Structures are given as C-alpha cells and as structure tokens.
Amino acid sequence: MGGACDNINGGGRNQKQRFRFVGVFYILLITVVGTDAAGGLGGPGEQNGKTSSTQRDVESLCLSDPDKCNKKLGSLFNGTINIKDSIKNALIADAVELQKHIDNPVLYKELVKDKRSEEAMRICDEVMDNAVDAVNKSVGELDTFDFNRLSDFVFDLQVWMAATLSDQQTCLDAFEKVDTKASQRMAQILSNSMNLSNNAIDMINSVSELLDDFGHVPSDLDRRPLSDESEKLVVVRRRGADGRIPVRTLDRGASSSAAAAEPTGYPGGPYDTSLLVKYEHHVARHIWFGEERGPKKELKVAGHGLKLNSRVPLALPPQMESWVSRSGLASLQRTSLNKIDTNLVSAFVERWHLETSSFHMPFGEMSITLDDVACLLHLPIRGIFWSPQDVTEELAVELAVDYLGVSQSQAQSHVRSCRGSYYKLEWLYDIFVHHRAASSWAYATRAYLLMLVGSTIFADKTFTLVEARYLLLFRDLDGCSGYSWGAAALVTLYRYLGDASMYSCKQLGGYPTLLQCWIHEYFPTVGKRGENWNPAGNCGLPRAMRWSYRQGVLKVDDLRPILDELTPTDVIWRPFEDHRAWRVFDEICLYRGCLKWGETVVPYLPDRCLRQFGYRQYVPSPPLDCMMATDIDVDWISYHQSVYSNTHILHPQ
C-alpha cells in the first residue's frame, strides 16, 4: 500500500496484512463523511460559538449517530487546517483507531492453528486486494479533489462501496463455515464491519440527496446512475460522414489537447484493453476499418421453426404428454419463429462481447437474462447444471440401442453417416413416429425430446444434427425435470453469441428465436415484427409466442446507424411486468456468477444491466474469469449469497 495508507500498515506488517481488509470498510465510511464535509459549504467554522455550515452538513449526513459523528469529525475542520489534509487525517486517524481492535496476536495465533480458519484467511486476503486498492484510490483522489467535481467523487465512492461490500460478503461466508471460537470472533468482527458498510451506503445516498438540494450538477453524465430525469440527457454518439463514430476521451476532466491526442487501445473501440481482451479478433474492430465478414454481411442463422411446426403434432398421446409436460420442455413445442431476420440478429451480434456477456449499446450494456428466458420460453430456471461424460462414436451407438430402441446395425450405420457422435434431427423424428405407432412410449418420448431440444435451445451450427451426449439427459424420463433448462438455453446462446462476435465466424448457433424475440420485446422501434396477440389478451402462453416473422427490408448496413442512435427512451426496460401473473420474478435472476452447461462455462453478470431489473445502473465490478472457477455448482445452489450482496447496493430507478 502506498501514500497515506503506509501509516496504517506500520509495524507487524505480516500480521496486519491478514487483517487489513477489516479496516477497509471503516476507512470508506470516514471517507464518505469527510468528503461531504469538504464539499458541504466548505468554509472555516463560524466564531462566537455558532455552529458552522460544515458541521451542520456533517450532522445532517451522519444519520445513524449524529452526536458521535459530529464530535468525531467536527473538530477536525477549523480555519487553520486545509480541508483536504483534514480528510486525510481523518482517514489515517480512524483507521489506526480501528487497527488497535484487530491487532490481536492471541486471535491471530488461534486462527492459524486451524486449517479451515487459515484457508478462510487466505480467501479473504485474495478477495480483499481489490478493496484495498479502492481505498488507496480514494486517498489519491483527495490530492486532486475539486469542489466542482464533488458529484463525481461521491459517485466514485458509491462504485467502490459496491465492490467492497461484495468482497466483504465473500470473506464473511468463508469464516461462517468454520466452527472455532477464533473464527466465530473473526466472523463477528466482519459482521460488525458490514454494518459499517451499510451505514456508509446510507450516508452516500444522503450525500447524493444533499447535492440535489444544493443543485450540484455532475460533470460527467455518462458515469451517473440513470434516473428518469437523467435518461433524457444521455449523450448519443452518431457516425460521421465517413461512417465512423467520433472519438471521445474517457478521462473525466481531460483537456481538449489531451482529447485530440491519439488514444491507446483500438480506434473506435476500448482504450483500456484489459477488459475486452478478445477485441483484437472482434468483428467490430474489423468493421471499423471497412473489413466485412464476407460478401454477405449477415450471419448464417438456422431457424428450425418451419420444420419443427411440421414435426410437432397437435396433441401427443397421453402417455407421452405426461413425460413431456413434467420435463419442463413442453413450451418449446410452440415458441419457434417460422423464420429468422438474419440482418436484425447479425446487427445485434456485432455488439455482443463474451467477456461481459452483454450487448454494448450506445447508452450502456444490456443482456438476455434468466428472467427473459423464463418469460419468453417458460423454461424452469431453477435446477441443477449438467456435467456430461465424453461420448465416443461407439458409446453413441450403445446409447441409441439402449434408449432409442434401434438395432445395433441401424445405430452403427447412422452414427457413421454423421461422422461423429451425433444424431440427425430427421432420423430422431422418424424414430419418434415409429415408436409412437408401436406404443413404445419411452423410446418415442426420448427421441421426441432430443429432437425438440436439438431444434431449439441446443441447435448447433450444423443445422441438421444434435450431439449424441444430450440423450443422456433423458435416460431417466422422470428425473429430467430437475435440470435448469433456462440456464442451459442461456449458456448455449451465450456461447454461440461469443463465437459469432468474432470476425472469423460466419454462423450463429443456439436458439435464434430467443434472441430475436428478446429484441422485439426491448426495442419496439428496431426491425420489423408481427404480433400475434396483445399482452393484455395473453392466456398464459410463453411471450415468444406473441411474435411472428415479418420480412424485414433493412440490411445490416441500415441497422448499424439505427442502433448507434438509440437512447434509453427507445428501450422498454421492463417488458414483462404485464406477464407476472404467469411468471413471477425469481430473485435467482440477480445471481452474479458463472453458469455452466456441459463443458461450457459463461459469466452471468446482471450487475451490468440493472436497468432491466428496474434499478439504477452503477459502474459494475470487473467481469468474472469463469475459466478459473471451481465451485460453480455450489455457487449456483447457494445463489442467495450472491443475491444478498447485490441487493444491498441496488436503488430503484
């Protein structure tokens, strides 16, 4: 740690490094109060016993304990001390005061005796490094503090508090799993510091309200959480005559000469290349320089809607209907669009970034969420992930014999013709028809369900095949309802969107109906759409069935500038509020973590698209590196921990 924080970590550095995260939140608490004191009315205290305006501001903001807060900070501000230095003094003095309580050698020795406690300490050290960096940044910001940038500074504190609160919850969870007296005491210390964090959040909100009262306007609209009023002021970047979006600086307060300087990173793309690490291969980078994917700018997208409509019977036999209904997949029989608007879909794919699992729009990020899947497709989003075994061609043959009721020779011939561990969708349909006629209901149902998912949520870029390993999902027809089919659909689509966003890819797999219907729901002015019924007249059908295909006239070239000029007012942020009678919002949709299906793992980051959940958007934490995740299934089952840490920092729009 550098700067003023060196004073905090003086002697006994190795021991204090173990506990340093505990002081982070108290430091932030004092930062919030001190910052407001600096920016309240900001002058020397009034004489003759009168209460200064600064002290009144401090008292008004320290709602939890005004007397104590005023006594603690009010004396730091007087006419002889520089305000910025006073804030630094407050940071250091109060951190040192807290350090006295946590520098307990007896507690430290007790913790390292227990392996689980030591592991919990290691976890805390790892997750709190970012929090300590945030504190360093807050101290460094004081050196350049300007009253005219007060709103920006307060907003920075909101962002840092959001990240540190999430880290603190992770640390607390690690200690709560350890049953020793020392660990219980450590957990209590962390719990107390969490209360300080929550108080700090309340104080930050009070600062924002105070700024509104004083009519203080932030200097950078792009970084302020959107409200109904601020949405009207969002700056839109439009393409120039050369088809490019003018470059603007990302550094708040940069001079015009700095803005004119050649930026680092990618022209028309990110300046900071540490986030979008795949941007070098992204289609957007090539489009900027006039390089298209090929003669056809749109992707090849296969929608199985027409074939599926011809293959799905009006009614299944009762014996099959029971299994299909209980599987949770019955809704997929009727949700597919007959055709896909490939130009519309391709224009949105160009804005997808796999690192953030989101579309990067001119006004921020948006994504297809678990709630969207639940409402559009009526698939269950709660359930377990699936971890399959490898399926060779030989095993694909055995599975077809055992679970599809075909002969050994027939299975061998078919798998050989597929040149891999696949089954043809048309072949599965023929098996379904054959066994239905023979009243072999289990075989018929497995073939039907495999054909159904292979034509929808598991559609791949071959457009005619489905992976044989998916047959393992339906070995037990009574148990396949336990899977999170909604997560499966989302993981598969995320994966193919990530592939298709790369310049070298020319095809899109996954369920394109899900993507196109999502566009229709959120962007009513983009593309051409047919409407089968008004939401008010819905009888509980999946919302995807509301839409029908209409031949679009706009090409990808036409849609790019339209998307460039979109503003928040062009978006229906919560399109499914009139659908809650059939699909109640599930808090698991706010889970922040990794989703897994098979060997595919993707980040699911609702904190990057909070406006879709009715909350104001703040600057989110860095995306997750799911390639390093090891306990994805456990994290998913204990989703409430992630949701709990997120909901503490959410504010309705």
Side-chain angles (χ1 to χ4, degrees):
M1 298 180 70
C5 289
D6 285 334
N7 296 315
I8 301 174
N9 293 329
R13 185 178 183 84
N14 291 336
Q15 177 181 338
K16 292 179 182 179
Q17 186 176 12
R18 295 287 189 179
F19 295 97
R20 62 184 179 180
F21 50 84
V22 182
V24 167
F25 310 97
Y26 197 73
I27 294 172
L28 282 175
L29 172 63
I30 302 304
T31 303
V32 174
V33 179
T35 300
D36 181 71
L41 294 178
E46 299 178 19
Q47 304 300 321
N48 302 323
K50 294 182 179 180
T51 304
S52 69
S53 58
T54 298
Q55 290 172 325
R56 289 197 301 269
D57 291 341
V58 170
E59 183 170 343
S60 67
L61 291 177
C62 297
L63 301 178
S64 60
D65 195 342
D67 293 333
K68 181 179 179 181
C69 186
N70 184 52
K71 179 180 178 181
K72 194 172 194 59
L73 292 180
S75 61
L76 288 175
F77 295 95
N78 55 60
T80 62
I81 300 179
N82 180 276
I83 288 180
K84 289 186 289 187
D85 290 339
S86 298
I87 299 173
K88 281 191 176 182
N89 290 337
L91 285 170
I92 297 170
D94 285 277
V96 170
E97 181 178 336
L98 181 63
Q99 197 74 49
K100 294 178 182 177
H101 299 287
I102 62 176
D103 283 346
N104 188 329
V106 176
L107 175 61
Y108 176 74
K109 290 180 181 179
E110 288 297 320
L111 286 171
V112 297
K113 286 181 180 178
D114 184 79
K115 291 292 185 182
R116 294 171 300 171
S117 297
E118 189 174 14
E119 175 64 16
M121 291 166 61
R122 184 191 63 78
I123 293 174
C124 288
D125 268 345
E126 291 178 359
V127 299
M128 284 308 173
D129 281 340
N130 290 336
V132 173
D133 291 340
V135 176
N136 281 331
K137 186 174 181 180
S138 68
V139 175
E141 279 283 295
L142 291 173
D143 291 330
T144 58
F145 178 77
D146 180 4
F147 177 75
N148 292 326
R149 294 181 56 243
L150 177 58
S151 296
D152 297 329
F153 189 82
V154 170
F155 182 70
D156 285 339
L157 291 174
Q158 290 177 312
V159 174
W160 297 330
M161 280 302 303
T164 53
L165 187 62
S166 177
D167 290 334
Q168 186 184 23
Q169 181 63 46
T170 301
C171 182
L172 180 60
D173 292 340
F175 272 104
E176 286 184 337
K177 297 175 183 178
V178 183
D179 187 19
T180 66
K181 289 184 178 180
S183 295
Q184 290 172 4
R185 184 174 175 185
M186 195 65 192
Q188 183 60 49
I189 292 174
L190 288 167
S191 179
N192 292 339
S193 65
M194 175 168 282
N195 292 333
L196 292 175
S197 300
N198 291 328
N199 288 340
I201 292 174
D202 292 338
M203 292 178 183
I204 293 174
N205 295 335
S206 298
V207 173
S208 298
E209 294 173 4
L210 182 63
L211 294 178
D212 292 339
D213 292 340
F214 281 126
H216 194 281
V217 180
S219 62
D220 189 345
L221 292 174
D222 289 344
R223 294 197 58 190
R224 182 172 182 172
L226 285 179
S227 62
D228 293 338
E229 292 76 14
S230 60
E231 284 180 350
K232 302 175 183 177
L233 302 175
V234 172
V235 178
V236 179
R237 293 187 293 165
R238 293 180 170 82
R239 294 181 186 269
D242 60 354
R244 298 181 179 181
I245 299 176
V247 176
R248 70 171 180 181
T249 179
L250 295 184
D251 295 327
R252 187 189 303 124
S255 63
S256 58
S257 60
E262 183 67 22
T264 59
Y266 296 98
Y271 293 166
D272 182 354
T273 57
S274 64
L275 177 62
L276 303 181
V277 295
K278 298 288 187 180
Y279 192 79
E280 179 182 0
H281 308 289
H282 198 278
V283 64
R285 186 179 80 86
H286 292 267
I287 292 173
W288 180 266
F289 293 105
E291 302 171 358
E292 300 288 350
R293 298 180 192 264
K296 286 189 174 182
K297 300 177 182 179
E298 70 272 19
L299 294 162
K300 182 179 180 182
V301 183
H304 295 275
L306 285 174
K307 287 185 178 179
L308 195 58
N309 286 341
S310 65
R311 291 170 176 170
V312 172
L314 294 176
L316 290 169
Q319 297 87 340
M320 289 185 61
E321 177 63 36
S322 176
W323 272 321
V324 171
S325 178
R326 282 183 285 139
S327 72
L329 297 168
S331 59
L332 293 178
Q333 298 174 99
R334 310 293 179 189
T335 54
S336 297
L337 294 170
N338 287 338
K339 294 184 68 177
I340 299 298
D341 188 339
T342 56
N343 286 282
L344 177 64
V345 166
S346 299
F348 272 85
V349 170
E350 291 174 355
R351 291 180 172 272
W352 181 265
H353 290 273
L354 58 86
E355 298 91 340
T356 59
S357 294
S358 62
F359 299 101
H360 288 209
M361 309 304 291
F363 46 81
E365 297 178 37
M366 295 184 67
S367 190
I368 306 172
T369 69
L370 288 168
D371 184 53
D372 295 329
V373 176
C375 293
L376 285 167
L377 303 182
H378 281 198
L379 293 178
I381 55 178
R382 288 180 178 266
I384 62 174
F385 297 150
W386 177 59
S387 300
Q389 64 186 83
D390 292 332
V391 173
T392 62
E393 289 189 27
E394 291 75 16
L395 184 54
V397 171
E398 293 180 18
L399 291 175
V401 172
D402 293 341
Y403 299 111
L404 294 178
V406 298
S407 66
Q408 183 82 13
S409 60
Q410 184 183 5
Q412 287 177 335
S413 176
H414 179 75
V415 172
R416 193 179 302 115
S417 70
C418 294
R419 299 182 179 181
S421 303
Y422 299 94
Y423 305 132
K424 293 180 181 178
L425 297 173
E426 185 177 5
W427 184 68
L428 292 171
Y429 174 70
D430 292 340
I431 292 175
F432 154 64
V433 172
H434 170 76
H435 286 306
R436 181 180 59 175
S439 299
S440 300
W441 305 122
Y443 292 145
T445 303
R446 292 191 188 98
Y448 182 76
L449 288 174
L450 187 56
M451 177 202 68
L452 183 62
V453 297
S455 302
T456 53
I457 59 175
F458 296 152
D460 64 15
K461 291 189 286 188
T462 65
F463 304 146
T464 59
L465 305 175
V466 62
E467 294 182 58
R469 61 179 180 160
Y470 289 136
L471 181 54
L472 294 170
L473 291 164
F474 306 114
R475 285 183 297 184
D476 180 8
L477 289 172
D478 293 317
C480 61
S481 60
Y483 294 114
S484 174
W485 294 114
L490 205 58
V491 170
T492 306
L493 184 57
Y494 277 13
R495 167 196 168 191
Y496 283 117
L497 284 171
D499 291 345
S501 67
M502 298 294 108
Y503 175 72
S504 59
C505 183
K506 296 177 173 60
Q507 295 173 296
L508 175 65
Y511 195 22
T513 287
L514 174 57
L515 174 56
Q516 184 164 329
C517 289
W518 179 86
I519 296 171
H520 290 335
E521 291 283 356
Y522 282 92
F523 300 93
T525 63
V526 180
K528 193 171 183 179
R529 57 185 188 171
E531 194 168 10
N532 296 323
W533 36 262
N534 187 282
N538 183 18
C539 298
L541 300 173
R543 277 291 280 266
M545 295 180 65
R546 172 186 177 186
W547 306 108
S548 60
Y549 172 78
R550 292 290 183 272
Q551 179 66 48
V553 297
L554 298 178
K555 302 298 183 181
V556 174
D557 277 342
D558 303 315
L559 288 163
R560 286 171 182 166
I562 291 175
L563 297 188
D564 286 342
E565 296 189 3
L566 288 175
T567 69
T569 57
D570 296 315
V571 180
I572 299 177
W573 288 104
R574 305 188 73 186
F576 304 117
E577 290 309 290
D578 54 4
H579 197 68
R580 294 305 176 192
W582 297 279
R583 280 298 180 273
V584 176
F585 179 78
D586 191 330
E587 66 175 7
I588 200 173
C589 298
L590 290 172
Y591 159 83
R592 183 183 190 273
C594 300
L595 299 179
K596 182 180 73 171
W597 192 256
E599 75 287 346
T600 302
V601 181
V602 298
Y604 177 73
L605 307 171
D607 59 324
R608 307 191 74 88
C609 55
L610 288 174
R611 288 173 289 187
Q612 292 176 232
F613 298 97
Y615 298 107
R616 286 193 292 175
Q617 182 66 55
Y618 60 84
V619 178
S621 303
L624 302 171
D625 183 3
C626 288
M627 297 301 296
M628 303 299 294
T630 57
D631 297 320
I632 299 175
D633 297 275
V634 175
D635 293 340
W636 173 249
I637 294 173
S638 57
Y639 73 92
H640 59 278
Q641 296 179 1
S642 170
V643 172
Y644 175 79
S645 62
N646 283 339
T647 53
H648 272 61
I649 53 179
L650 300 182
H651 304 287
Q653 291 197 84

